[in-house]
Amino acid sequence: MAARKENEVIIRENEMQQCFHCGDKCREDTIIAHEKLFCCEGCKLVYEILDENNLCNYYQLNNTPGSQEQKRTNSARYEFLEDEKIRQQLISFTNGNITDVTFLIPQIHCSSCIWLLEHLYKLDKGIKRATVNFLKREVHLVFSDQETSLKKIAELLNRIGYAPHISLDNSKDTKKLTSHKTSYYKLGVAFFCFGNIMLLSFPEYFGLSDVLEKDFRILFGYLNIFLSLPVLLYADMDFFKSAIAGLRQKRLNMDFPISLGIVVMYARSLFEILSGTGAGYMDTFAALVFFMLAGRMFQNKSYERLSFERDYKSYFPIAITVIEGGKQVSKAVSEVSRGHRILIRNEELIPADSILLKGVANIDYSFVTGENIPVLKKPGEKIYAGGKQLGAAIELEVVNEVSQSRLTQLWNECDYGQNKENKLSSVVDKVSIYFSIIVLLIAMGAGIFYMAQGNNPKALNAFTAVLIITCPCALALSYPFALGNTIRILGNSGLYLKNTGVIEKLSHITSIVFDKTGTLTKSGSAQIKFYGDTLSNHDLSLIFTLVSQSAHPLSRLLATELETQTRVKIDNFKEITGAGIEGIIEGIPVRLGSAAFAGKVIPPDGHINNNAEVHVSIGDQYKGFYDISTKYRDGLKETLSTLADSYDLQLLSGDNSAERKKLSVYFSDNEKMHFEQSPSDKLNFIRNLQHNKNKVMMLGDGLNDAGALMQSYTGIAVTDNVNNFTPACDGILDASRFYKIPAFLKFSKSSMKIIFASYIISFLYNIAGTWWAVQGNLSPVFAAIIMPLSTITIILFTTVSSNIAARIHNVKS
């Protein structure tokens, strides 16, 4: 025999061998390496890759996790990924150093798949981050172009058994695994078998089995076994896979008692038919699987409708400035399409992949890459969605549709180190585990009790009925369905939340902190007067050019006031948060902002104004100031008065204290109002409140308050019709619904009460069902019908109760 590598032998034999990696049976060539069996070189290679990188914990999560469908020959070629045009179609972002790409991986099927794919960075040092979306069977990768490439990553995925499905179709909908074909097939198979088994069981139903000849009874029994096999081997496999996966992770999930009941019922039926001692329960077995599948499909369909991963049209009440016919027009993001020319101001987020047409872009991709080093772009270069402009306004042409995946991905991935775990949801998971153990003990106790009395049929009925009817599904579904419907109602009413966990946070709020400009004040409406030297048309043109670059509410007000002026070229634009804006226009330095920023020294006992002021300096000469009498939001006094009854209210403003007198109407305690606060001051103020055990909700305009929004327990960005969306927030409030804040908070508390009420209903149902089942008189098929009804009951209860609560609190418009 020829010499082979050490520790590797190929044995030819007829007996079946199980591969350590994938679990397949090998009839001919079995490779023995590292004291383990492998069915092929591919499986051995995957094991060696994992072993070399200390990733063999993969096999502890799931034994033989590499399913047969994962295997692909190593002859797969990915040279086409070196083509720059093809590469551009696949990637969602690149800055020449860091690249984002999302691959569809159909082979993802269990927890070990997720674990391995999220540890890809250990197999390729160029991969910086990997995130798996199990429902969509996608893996989102962030990698360094200097250390690896798209081709190498695709080859790595193929080598470890997760070959990516690469489609060059520009429609991203083709990547979504929203099809329920498999579920429909399984439901159809179960229904077909169930119906035919019932037909063959009619003699048993009508007591005619004794009339039939023995050969017919045997034939009908064998036909029932034959018809039950597709149900056992195909239709009910999801229950078994879920139960086995839970056991491998040393936990009992809600599918374990269901699977156990199915096995016991089928085994007993098979024994009776083959031994000739009875007709079995194959009709009950098929009916059980059919009704369970129907109930689960109803559950999934209902949850999809309530899913909080909605379309971006529902998420973001933001608009973008579109240039049409030389005029600036505000359009909803959903209306922006390829070919539109858009204007992006300082600090505004770019919602779609675009080509830079005019201006110098200084793009901050920190939301995408985590790196806050701006990237300089010149006209003609491509700018990806998710970047934020720092500097003067730029004009771009949209080349791709507004990307739902990019916007929602930015929002959902920016956790900023906060603990996002939903405590209530984790408690439910733990309760479900103990629930399964208790149910199993009760079922075994009932079965043993009746067997001791010699009543085996009743023992079987009691054992299986308890397992089937006492399912923790209703308990586990209370949380997602109640909050799923709540988040849908809030979204329809103008409050768009990142996820359901934010609702739980809103119910625990103790303090509310408000920003002033753009939050308490209305954007787009104000009385503006200028005090100082007479301004020429040229001066006004310079001011208009400068304020047009900024998205700050006061800048937008001045831009609207001066929109008849001509905008000219600007250089070196800067916006100093909390101070003002400046730039070089036609060689002339222009500054707008606070008095100190514009070079005006005001003595301590000097000018005091009750309105907002924007001071102007042109050519290093102080010109005067704009007196801006901003209007506060409609219903502000009533809103704050209602909130003050239940929460500690605070005001943080970057402006001076000129409007203290006005605001004293809304904040009776002067110590609750804090002015001239820099972004770092706001952040520290939030921290100090939190040190005193306060659960703080921050409401800001999303521009100067990103740090405070991130730090707060719940950060809500208040937006009018401007594109000031920031991933720093937990929610976005349509400014026109500001007066509904008290209603939203009350509704959040009511939603949590609805969850607890649904838990009580679920427990009462299970207690009653268990008591009925242990009597031994409840048919398993009847239990299988009642169990999905409990799920439907919870769905209807949470949905109807949420809608009623929304009406009571006047949440719905």
Side-chain angles (χ1 to χ4, degrees), residues 638-765:
E638 294 78 7
T639 299
L640 296 184
S641 176
T642 302
L643 291 173
D645 293 336
S646 305
Y647 305 95
D648 174 41
L649 305 185
Q650 303 278 351
L651 172 70
L652 295 180
S653 175
D655 299 332
N656 58 37
S657 58
E659 294 195 52
R660 180 183 291 274
K661 186 176 180 180
K662 275 187 178 182
L663 288 166
S664 63
V665 176
Y666 309 106
F667 294 87
S668 57
D669 188 347
N670 280 331
E671 294 184 1
K672 302 292 185 180
M673 295 185 288
H674 311 272
F675 298 93
E676 299 181 356
Q677 299 288 300
S678 67
S680 59
D681 292 333
K682 293 180 180 181
L683 177 62
N684 291 329
F685 186 85
I686 298 292
R687 284 176 177 165
N688 290 334
L689 286 178
Q690 291 173 330
H691 288 159
N692 294 324
K693 308 297 183 181
N694 286 299
K695 302 289 187 182
V696 183
M697 180 172 75
M698 171 72 187
L699 287 101
D701 60 11
L703 291 172
N704 304 327
D705 310 308
L709 290 171
M710 283 188 281
Q711 179 62 37
S712 60
Y713 188 64
T714 305
I716 305 294
V718 180
T719 178
D720 284 283
N721 62 341
V722 293
N723 184 16
N724 59 2
F725 160 68
T726 169
C729 60
D730 293 305
I732 300 173
L733 175 64
D734 187 338
S736 64
R737 310 300 174 87
F738 185 88
Y739 68 96
K740 284 186 175 288
I741 292 175
F744 291 151
L745 293 174
K746 290 178 181 177
F747 181 49
S748 298
K749 291 183 177 181
S750 295
S751 297
M752 302 309 297
K753 293 178 181 178
I754 290 171
I755 292 175
F756 287 116
S758 65
Y759 287 168
I760 294 173
I761 293 173
S762 178
F763 276 120
L764 291 176
Y765 160 81

Side-chain angles (χ1 to χ4, degrees), residues 474-544:
L475 177 67
L477 290 175
S478 299
Y479 185 91
F481 272 98
L483 296 190
N485 196 46
T486 299
I487 206 170
R488 179 185 63 83
I489 293 172
L490 289 174
N492 291 337
S493 302
L495 177 59
Y496 307 85
L497 301 181
K498 179 183 290 187
N499 53 50
T500 55
V502 180
I503 299 172
E504 188 177 342
K505 288 185 175 183
L506 288 175
S507 67
H508 297 149
I509 293 299
T510 60
S511 299
I512 303 178
V513 176
F514 295 93
D515 176 46
K516 181 178 74 71
T517 306
T519 303
L520 299 183
T521 60
K522 291 179 66 175
S523 297
S525 59
Q527 293 182 352
I528 302 175
K529 293 182 180 180
F530 183 78
Y531 296 91
D533 299 342
T534 302
L535 298 175
S536 66
N537 286 334
H538 183 256
D539 291 336
L540 294 175
S541 178
L542 297 179
I543 295 171
F544 174 63

Side-chain angles (χ1 to χ4, degrees), residues 419-491:
N419 183 8
K420 298 296 179 181
E421 180 184 10
N422 299 329
K423 294 181 179 179
L424 188 57
S425 181
S426 63
V427 170
V428 174
D429 291 339
K430 293 177 181 178
V431 170
S432 297
I433 295 173
Y434 293 114
F435 187 93
S436 297
I437 296 173
I438 294 170
V439 167
L440 181 59
L441 293 175
I442 293 174
M444 291 176 63
I448 293 171
F449 175 78
Y450 289 114
M451 285 181 67
Q453 295 181 351
N455 194 342
N456 290 339
K458 199 168 187 178
L460 178 62
N461 268 355
F463 180 77
T464 52
V466 169
L467 291 177
I468 295 165
I469 201 170
T470 52
C471 175
C473 294
L475 177 67
L477 290 175
S478 299
Y479 185 91
F481 272 98
L483 296 190
N485 196 46
T486 299
I487 206 170
R488 179 185 63 83
I489 293 172
L490 289 174

Side-chain angles (χ1 to χ4, degrees), residues 265 268-269 272-273 279-286 457 460-461 780:
M265 184 181 299
R268 175 61 187 270
S269 301
E272 287 190 3
I273 294 173
Y281 304 90
M282 290 303 182
D283 54 341
T284 304
F285 160 73
L460 178 62
N461 268 355

